[in-house]
Amino acid sequence: MYLLGGELPAMVLIDSVSRYVEGVLKEDSICEESFSNKLLEYPQYTRPEVFRERKVPEVLLSGHHENIQKWRQEKSLEITRQKRPDLLK
């Protein structure tokens, strides 16, 4: 792939670096970045609740933040075990 100018790569670089400048994002916004806890990220879901016969897990629809956090942690571990077991050593 070729880019005619450097504008897009520059924007990507600025976005990725500026998120770590104090005040650009809320402090808790970068707590759950991909790979921030040495695990692969949990699955992400959005609307609709059912898409191509795949349903959003009930726990994510429950509104129970503690249970949602537990589910995310379990899924992160499960995905890391499957795809990158070396990260768990």
Side-chain angles (χ1 to χ4, degrees), residues 2-55:
Y2 296 98
L3 299 172
L4 296 178
E7 295 87 358
L8 290 176
M11 287 191 305
V12 169
L13 181 65
I14 290 168
D15 180 69
S16 62
V17 171
S18 65
R19 62 191 313 108
Y20 292 102
V21 174
E22 189 174 336
V24 172
L25 296 175
K26 294 181 196 174
E27 272 188 47
D28 59 343
S29 293
I30 58 171
C31 292
E32 283 194 38
E33 290 287 303
S34 297
F35 213 66
S36 62
N37 63 356
K38 309 281 192 253
L39 298 175
L40 299 180
E41 200 165 21
Y42 51 84
Q44 304 287 320
Y45 292 89
T46 186
R47 300 281 184 223
E49 291 177 20
V50 177
F51 181 72
R52 295 186 179 172
E53 299 181 21
R54 296 189 72 189
K55 190 170 180 348

